[in-house]
Structure formats: structure tokens, C-alpha cells
Amino acid sequence: MPVMNFRIQWPDGSEANCYSPSTVVSEFFTPGERYAVEDFLERSRKALHIGSERVREKYGFACSAAMDQLSKIEADAERFMDEPGAAVTVIELG
């Protein structure tokens, strides 16, 4: 199963390297694009759940690393939920 990493920049300028067990994230994110925090969260949830399910289909169990990554994204995003216009930039997919 092809793994894909994606690098993001939070509204405060900090960066994070994120993991997906599948290339499905390329269907949800475009490098260089900015996404409102809420939109980024929704896209992350969809992409990482799909990736986890693809692992389940192939190996018989869900991908705990994808769910761990989603939990980290959700926790980090919480810091910016009350900031109007806060956006996450997808720096690269790879």
C-alpha cells in the first residue's frame, strides 16, 4: 500500500509533517493551497478514514497510525478554531 506524507503550515507559521497510509490525500489536498481550519479538518477526517479503510480491506485491520495522525491534527487545529480567517496551507505531498 503506497504511503503518502504531507507537510502543512498552521496559521501561526508552525509546520507539521503528516502521514497517510494511502495516496488518497492527493484527492483532498493540493500543494500550495490554503484551507480554512474547519475545511482542512473535514478533508483530513475524510482522507484519513478512507486511507484507514483501504488498509482494512487489504490487511484485515484498520490503520491505527492514520487515526493517530487524525487525533494529532484535531488537537493542533483546536488552537485556531476561534481565530477568524485562520487557514492551513498544504506545503507539499510526497
Side-chain angles (χ1 to χ4, degrees):
M1 177 144 288
V3 168
M4 181 170 270
N5 293 296
F6 55 108
R7 193 163 52 118
I8 61 170
Q9 183 177 51
W10 290 105
D12 65 358
S14 63
E15 294 183 6
N17 291 310
C18 302
Y19 167 86
S20 171
S22 167
T23 58
V24 71
V25 293
S26 65
E27 297 173 22
F28 289 86
F29 299 119
T30 302
E33 289 292 316
R34 290 172 44 91
Y35 301 90
V37 173
E38 297 84 1
D39 183 33
F40 178 77
L41 277 174
E42 186 60 29
R43 289 169 181 264
S44 295
R45 287 178 181 127
K46 288 178 182 175
L48 291 170
H49 279 289
I50 290 169
S52 181
E53 285 305 307
R54 287 183 179 176
V55 170
R56 182 189 309 278
E57 289 168 9
K58 186 167 184 172
Y59 298 106
F61 52 86
C63 180
S64 60
M67 296 302 92
D68 290 346
Q69 180 63 73
L70 180 56
S71 293
K72 174 77 171 126
I73 288 171
E74 289 173 334
D76 289 346
E78 189 63 34
R79 299 178 293 158
F80 308 106
M81 295 304 285
D82 294 331
E83 290 184 26
V88 178
T89 303
V90 175
I91 298 169
E92 66 180 338
L93 302 173

